[in-house]
Amino acid sequence: MPTHYQITEILDQLGQAKYFSCLDLAMGYNQINMDPKDIEKTAFSTKEGHWAYRRMPFGLKTAPATFQRLINTVLSGLTSTRSFVFLDDIVIYANTTGN
């Protein structure tokens, strides 16, 4: 299955579904641990001290790709057959309740 779809393909699949659930993984980036060797790259200083992120902050250049790869792995086998994922938004769909 391709990893990218045109909107018409997505709408065709969703148009045949009867049941939908939409999930927004709020603060999802912050649930991913940083690789220990990369923690120092997130460091910053304030008048209260020197800080570094232990979990992936929103705003890192590689954060969207890392998060998308994780979600695609978690939902492997379901994407484009029962769900579509775009970053932290997931649409799960089915034609019947037993799907």
Side-chain angles (χ1 to χ4, degrees), residues 23-31 58 67 71 87-90:
L23 307 172
D24 183 2
L25 304 177
M27 305 296 288
Y29 286 27
N30 300 116
Q31 305 304 313
F58 186 80
F67 188 76
I71 295 302
L87 295 178
D88 66 343
D89 297 312
I90 302 171

Side-chain angles (χ1 to χ4, degrees), residues 5-85:
Y5 295 88
Q6 291 189 5
I7 189 67
T8 53
E9 296 172 19
I10 294 171
L11 292 175
D12 285 345
Q13 286 189 29
L14 293 176
Q16 298 172 13
K18 185 174 179 181
Y19 300 98
F20 300 91
S21 183
C22 298
L23 307 172
D24 183 2
L25 304 177
M27 305 296 288
Y29 286 27
N30 300 116
Q31 305 304 313
I32 300 173
N33 289 328
M34 294 286 297
D35 188 314
K37 68 180 175 35
D38 293 327
I39 290 174
E40 67 182 39
K41 297 173 186 171
T42 67
F44 59 97
S45 295
T46 69
K47 59 184 174 183
E48 285 84 27
H50 189 70
W51 307 90
Y53 286 94
R54 292 184 190 166
R55 296 183 179 261
M56 187 171 63
F58 186 80
L60 290 181
K61 186 174 185 175
T62 58
T66 300
F67 188 76
Q68 186 74 54
R69 187 172 44 253
L70 173 68
I71 295 302
N72 287 345
T73 300
V74 169
L75 295 175
S76 66
L78 296 177
T79 53
S80 64
T81 59
R82 294 199 174 114
S83 69
F84 284 106
V85 179

